[in-house]
Amino acid sequence: MPTPPYRQIADDLRRRILDGDLPPGAVVPSENALVEQYGVAAETARRALAVLAAEGLTEARRGSGTRVRSFRPILRQAGKRLAAEQWGSGRSIWQADLDQRPMTVDRATVAEQPCPARIAESLGLEEGAAVWVRDRRYLVEGVPVMLATSYLPAGLVAGSAITRPDSGPGGTYARLAELGWAPVAFREQVRARMPLPEEAEALQLGAGSPVVLIVRFAFARDGVPVEVNEMTLDASRYLMEWEFPA
Amino acid sequence: MPTPPYRQIADDLRRRILDGDLPPGAVVPSENALVEQYGVAAETARRALAVLAAEGLTEARRGSGTRVRSFRPILRQAGKRLAAEQWGSGRSIWQADLDQRPMTVDRATVAEQPCPARIAESLGLEEGAAVWVRDRRYLVEGVPVMLATSYLPAGLVAGSAITRPDSGPGGTYARLAELGWAPVAFREQVRARMPLPEEAEALQLGAGSPVVLIVRFAFARDGVPVEVNEMTLDASRYLMEWEFPA
DNA sequence: GGTGTTGACTTCCTTAGGGAACTAGCGGGA
DNA sequence: TCCCGCTAGTTCCCTAAGGAAGTCAACACC
């Protein structure tokens, strides 16, 4: 069972990319070039390039060419407790942009809706109970990087700024604190998979970019759940970090 | 710019899968069936099925057929602090196997090696300094689910059970504690991407399965780094969880 | 009743050829 | 100098045809 030609070509190109022979931004040989170079049919060359695109290593633009993608992630830090001066080593295997690029929001919608079943259970509500739903899309340097939908029990937040698009300084959690429901603990559940078409469209994902799904549960005193936040991240743009004691 | 046929067919099938019309394990219409049903060429039908496979929704077995994949994740809990009785709600959006299936190890290798550059910086060592490298592959129910490679400074662990394949009861961290280097804090950095071929082979990944990369830094008292652990997880088999205070 | 073989069905991969859609750069005209 | 149109090159998509390789079940045979 010899590896088929399209796979061999893909392996060649992949090694050139990983070796740095084809650095980020470099132009990958075109379909026609591969046809000549390897003596295969156009469709076979096309398949080879499709493999790399599916792995997220390259990005093709019709009419222009195929280029090597770069990975320059945004650092998302959760549960940051460790002082930088003392715990400085172990900084980053993958260098991430520590200088925070500003994150902006577009497409924000806020509405009162009946609670979906899966959320209701987490919030300790009945299915269909009223919740305020805050839906947002976040951009960094103009490109969408994250979708977030958070659910808050209407009984807790009715009348507050949480029910308005601009929740004010400090955001939702500051308002919750003013209402006497300051979050004291968080639980985040994380998984990764390939995006659905609507997710790929909303995040402008190229082929081969997985998404990371994070569901954050926020708890106030006595373990009262006050928020569930479902986030969808472009995995190719994020480096996530959690810290916790032994 | 109408959506091309192969994409329409993929959309049809995807909706049937997500709606539950084609439940996990069900057989997806074959290439020939799609050729008849939609009146397209075989290659087009094939492309439609390839889309679903690339999204990780289906799994094709040559000669047998294409089936809908199921997502039955292993729960990986890190930094668990919250008592179950008080913080019980917000249990799981995605139902995960809480009843821990036993995890076994095969392909374990332990060796003293010169430290790679990226690890050296994190451990506060010079590049090429001696480290003990523990390389393992974990199985659940016979299928590989995770690769892990951990690095420990030779100056700290020389002579201990850490340098042997079986590190004894309680594992590496118990031995570190006995040596006076008990870990007191952890930092985990996480990203997701499509696997490299060797990763896909080692984890027996089907097409469309991303991998999750976790790098864990373990710190002893005074912020001394004592271990770096690089893990590679089959994303389609894991649900990860972190907990932390506000 | 078991056992081995055959054949239908499946996915996988390739060549050959054609066309659509898009991009970037070049040259000519105002 | 600036702008427009053309053109060569690019990716994307499809049809048609054929063969390789694996799976599974029915059927004939002992």
Side-chain angles (χ1 to χ4, degrees):
Chain A
M1 52 218 61
T3 63
Y6 86 97
R7 209 158 255 288
Q8 285 185 27
I9 299 174
D11 289 348
D12 276 9
L13 294 175
R14 186 188 304 107
R15 211 186 15 164
R16 291 181 59 188
I17 293 172
L18 297 180
D19 284 357
D21 184 14
L22 290 172
V27 183
V28 177
S30 73
E31 294 179 0
N32 291 348
L34 294 177
V35 165
E36 276 199 16
Q37 188 175 343
Y38 290 90
V40 293
E43 189 63 27
T44 303
R46 186 177 151 61
R47 287 268 278 272
L49 290 176
V51 168
L52 299 181
E55 290 173 352
L57 286 176
T58 63
E59 198 163 21
R61 267 175 50 199
R62 185 193 296 201
S64 176
T66 305
R67 288 187 150 73
V68 180
R69 270 175 50 170
S70 62
F71 175 59
R72 209 170 295 272
I74 305 162
L75 181 63
R76 176 190 191 269
Q77 294 176 302
K80 179 140 202 59
R81 313 292 293 168
L82 310 184
E85 63 274 10
Q86 197 171 26
W87 310 81
S89 24
R91 197 48 258 154
S92 62
I93 292 289
W94 311 292
Q95 65 263 29
D97 275 356
L98 290 177
D99 54 322
Q100 300 281 30
R101 292 170 282 183
M103 200 178 248
T104 61
V105 175
D106 73 338
R107 293 203 198 169
T109 68
V110 180
E112 192 177 10
Q113 292 176 13
C115 189
R118 68 183 191 290
I119 303 293
E121 195 175 348
S122 299
L123 284 175
L125 301 174
E126 309 249 324
E127 181 178 349
V131 287
W132 279 90
V133 181
R134 300 177 53 85
D135 210 346
R136 304 172 302 293
R137 186 171 78 159
Y138 291 89
L139 310 180
V140 167
E141 293 173 348
V143 301
V145 296
M146 177 170 79
L147 311 173
T149 306
S150 72
Y151 303 84
L152 301 107
L156 262 57
V157 302
S160 76
I162 290 175
T163 64
R164 288 191 290 276
D166 181 6
S167 57
T172 301
Y173 292 154
R175 297 297 87 70
L176 278 171
E178 290 165 6
L179 293 167
W181 297 106
V184 298
F186 299 98
R187 174 184 292 145
E188 292 190 332
Q189 291 186 344
V190 179
R191 53 176 291 214
R193 59 162 169 75
M194 294 311 285
L196 299 176
E198 54 263 35
E199 296 168 334
E201 205 251 352
L203 288 173
Q204 293 175 19
L205 296 174
S209 295
V211 289
V212 171
L213 307 177
I214 303 180
V215 181
R216 159 186 283 189
F217 305 94
F219 299 97
R221 55 181 160 74
D222 301 329
V224 177
V226 292
E227 187 214 31
V228 175
N229 194 348
E230 292 186 314
M231 293 166 267
T232 306
L233 285 65
D234 178 351
S236 70
R237 300 195 187 279
Y238 268 97
L239 170 58
M240 291 149 283
E241 184 173 287
W242 284 270
E243 291 179 348
F244 52 93
Chain B
M1 51 230 63
T3 64
Y6 85 97
R7 209 157 255 290
Q8 285 184 25
I9 298 174
D11 289 348
D12 275 9
L13 293 175
R14 186 186 305 106
R15 211 183 19 163
R16 290 181 59 188
I17 292 173
L18 296 180
D19 285 356
D21 182 14
L22 291 171
V27 182
V28 176
S30 73
E31 295 178 1
N32 292 348
L34 294 177
V35 165
E36 276 199 16
Q37 189 175 341
Y38 289 91
V40 294
E43 188 61 28
T44 302
R46 184 177 154 60
R47 287 266 277 271
L49 290 176
V51 168
L52 299 181
E55 290 172 353
L57 286 175
T58 63
E59 198 164 20
R61 267 176 48 197
R62 183 194 296 201
S64 175
T66 304
R67 287 187 150 76
V68 180
R69 269 173 54 166
S70 63
F71 176 60
R72 208 172 297 272
I74 304 160
L75 182 63
R76 176 192 189 269
Q77 293 176 301
K80 179 143 200 60
R81 313 292 294 170
L82 310 184
E85 64 273 11
Q86 195 170 27
W87 311 82
S89 26
R91 197 49 257 153
S92 62
I93 293 287
W94 310 294
Q95 65 262 28
D97 275 357
L98 290 177
D99 54 321
Q100 300 282 28
R101 293 171 282 184
M103 198 178 254
T104 60
V105 175
D106 73 339
R107 290 203 200 170
T109 68
V110 180
E112 191 176 9
Q113 291 176 12
C115 189
R118 68 183 193 288
I119 304 293
E121 195 175 350
S122 300
L123 284 176
L125 300 175
E126 309 249 322
E127 182 180 348
V131 288
W132 279 89
V133 181
R134 300 177 54 85
D135 209 347
R136 306 174 298 295
R137 186 171 78 160
Y138 292 89
L139 310 178
V140 167
E141 292 172 349
V143 300
V145 296
M146 177 171 76
L147 311 174
T149 307
S150 71
Y151 302 84
L152 300 108
L156 261 59
V157 303
S160 78
I162 291 175
T163 64
R164 288 191 290 276
D166 181 6
S167 56
T172 301
Y173 293 154
R175 295 298 86 70
L176 278 172
E178 291 165 6
L179 293 167
W181 298 105
V184 298
F186 298 98
R187 172 184 293 145
E188 292 190 333
Q189 292 186 343
V190 180
R191 51 176 293 214
R193 59 162 169 75
M194 295 310 285
L196 298 176
E198 54 263 35
E199 295 167 336
E201 204 251 354
L203 288 173
Q204 292 176 21
L205 297 174
S209 296
V211 290
V212 171
L213 307 177
I214 304 180
V215 181
R216 159 186 281 189
F217 305 93
F219 299 96
R221 57 179 158 75
D222 303 328
V224 177
V226 293
E227 189 214 34
V228 175
N229 194 348
E230 292 187 313
M231 293 166 267
T232 306
L233 285 66
D234 179 351
S236 70
R237 300 196 187 279
Y238 268 97
L239 170 57
M240 291 148 284
E241 184 173 285
W242 283 269
E243 291 180 349
F244 51 95

